[in-house]
């Protein structure tokens, strides 16, 4: 079983009255085009995020585009009012060795579907709770909610969510503020997905839904000869004690499941 230490010497928190209206602090990184570098590590964040307000999350990368060499590492994010770490229209970010505990809505969250090449590595998420005031699907939250498959999930653990541990949920095109018909996440390759653990979740451990048909040419011809399907591989997933499915795949093409235990 997983053990996570929530205390850090450096703390960012909402005040003691934040609970009354579920209205805490938030950290947002937003300076598109300036190519700045974010190094956030070993910070404790509690009573953070603001219920019913989009964009007000404990840690939020907002429209940052490419943020190579930026990272969020070793942070403890707990008892929040709105998610944990949100990546919105930002790419190449490293989210590593963080803990998210007792959060509302999807915890580790990529927003619109145009977020790519981000790496979620060695994070622990526990007790993701429903949020009725966010997106419609936040009422059945997933600890890791990934809109574009072309992100990496490596060595993470998701436990005790009210609904799901991991959910890869590709749209046909990026949505909301990032509408772009030249991108087709439901046909994007799957990133590196290896060594993850999902247990004790209220529905599924690891779910790919609603559709994912990775092709050689994203947004290319719907022709298996000219634009063949390519393999998506999930390696060394361990999933147990989830109320419904350990691993669930719906409307998919050419998945390889390697070294996986799902009971």
């Amino acid at each position: 079983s997983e053990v996570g230490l929530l205390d850090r010497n450096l703390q960012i928190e909402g005040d003691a009255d934040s609970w009354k209206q579920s209205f805490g602090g938030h950290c947002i990184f937003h300076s598109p085009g300036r190519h700045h570098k974010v190094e956030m590590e070993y910070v404790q964040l509690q009573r953070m995020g603001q219920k019913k307000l989009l964009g007000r999350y404990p840690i939020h990368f907002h429209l940052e585009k490419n943020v190579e060499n930026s990272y969020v590492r070793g942070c403890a994010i707990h008892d929040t009012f709105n998610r944990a770490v949100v990546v919105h229209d930002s790419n190449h970010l490293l989210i590593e060795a963080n803990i998210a505990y007792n959060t509302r809505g999807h915890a580790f969250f990529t927003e619109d579907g145009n977020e790519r090449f981000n790496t979620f590595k060695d994070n622990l998420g526990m007790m993701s709770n429903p949020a009725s005031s966010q997106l419609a699907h936040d009422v059945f939250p997933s600890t890791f909610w990934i809109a574009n498959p072309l992100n990496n999930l490596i060595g993470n653990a998701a436990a005790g969510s009210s609904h799901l541990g991991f959910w890869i949920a590709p749209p046909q095109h990026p949505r909301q503020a990032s509408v772009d018909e030249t991108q087709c996440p439901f046909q994007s390759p799957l990133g590196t997905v290896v060594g993850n653990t999902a247990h004790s979740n209220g529905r599924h451990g690891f779910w790919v839904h609603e559709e994912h048909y990775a092709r050689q040419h994203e947004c290319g011809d719907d022709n298996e000869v000219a634009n063949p399907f390519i393999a998506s591989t999930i390696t060394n997933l361990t999933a147990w004690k989830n109320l419904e499915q350990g691993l669930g795949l719906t409307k998919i093409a050419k998945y390889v499941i390697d070294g996986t235990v799902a009971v």
Side-chain angles (χ1 to χ4, degrees):
S1 61
E2 299 80 16
V3 176
L5 179 65
L6 298 179
D7 291 335
R8 302 288 189 274
N9 290 331
L10 178 60
Q11 300 179 3
I12 302 173
E13 59 184 35
D15 65 26
D17 291 331
S18 299
W19 293 106
K20 293 180 180 179
Q21 295 184 345
S22 298
F23 194 91
H26 70 101
C27 299
I28 184 169
F29 301 101
H30 175 62
S31 57
R34 297 180 62 183
H35 305 292
H36 72 285
K37 181 179 179 181
V38 175
E39 298 173 314
M40 187 175 188
E41 56 186 330
Y42 303 109
V43 179
Q44 178 181 346
L45 300 99
Q46 62 177 323
R47 299 191 296 273
M48 298 287 285
Q50 297 171 0
K51 183 180 178 181
K52 297 185 178 180
L53 291 181
L54 291 174
R56 296 297 181 259
Y57 313 117
I59 300 174
H60 181 198
F61 285 78
H62 181 65
L63 308 181
E64 286 286 75
K65 305 302 181 183
N66 293 321
V67 286
E68 294 95 339
N69 303 316
S70 291
Y71 59 81
V72 177
R73 177 182 294 137
C75 296
I77 308 144
H78 63 92
D79 301 301
T80 73
F81 309 122
N82 194 355
R83 312 201 190 287
V85 179
V86 173
V87 182
H88 181 198
D89 193 3
S90 302
N91 309 304
H92 299 280
L93 177 66
L94 174 63
I95 303 99
E96 180 179 26
N98 302 286
I99 300 169
Y101 171 74
N102 194 27
T103 57
R104 295 186 191 174
H106 306 307
F108 296 95
F109 177 72
T110 66
E111 192 158 343
D112 285 352
N114 62 342
E115 301 84 12
R116 298 183 172 202
F117 309 112
N118 300 291
T119 297
F120 297 82
K121 181 180 181 185
D122 297 333
N123 300 287
L124 170 60
M126 298 181 290
M127 288 183 62
S128 301
N129 301 296
S132 59
S133 59
Q134 297 302 326
L135 302 177
H137 41 75
D138 277 301
V139 297
F140 31 88
S142 182
T143 300
F144 295 84
W145 195 89
I146 307 298
N148 194 306
L150 196 52
N151 290 283
N152 305 311
L153 292 165
I154 303 170
N156 302 287
S161 168
S162 65
H163 287 73
L164 295 99
F166 299 83
W167 185 356
I168 296 176
Q172 289 198 350
H173 303 288
R175 57 202 149 201
Q176 300 183 123
S178 303
V179 171
D180 181 356
E181 293 192 1
T182 69
Q183 292 190 33
C184 301
F186 80 111
Q187 293 181 340
S188 292
L190 184 66
T192 300
V193 178
V194 60
N196 299 290
T197 300
H199 69 88
S200 310
N201 297 295
R203 288 190 64 183
H204 310 306
F206 196 113
W207 206 31
V208 180
H209 177 82
E210 179 174 354
E211 57 182 353
H212 183 220
Y213 310 107
R215 288 189 180 266
Q216 189 174 72
H217 305 292
E218 180 183 337
C219 298
D221 292 338
D222 187 13
N223 183 309
E224 196 168 347
V225 175
N227 190 18
F229 295 112
I230 60 176
S232 300
T233 302
I234 296 174
T235 304
N236 295 342
L237 170 69
T238 303
W240 79 96
K241 205 176 179 181
N242 300 290
L243 188 60
E244 295 187 20
Q245 297 172 315
L247 172 62
L249 308 172
T250 64
K251 297 183 182 178
I252 54 103
K254 207 170 183 178
Y255 261 72
V256 177
I257 312 300
D258 182 31
T260 289
V261 176
V263 295

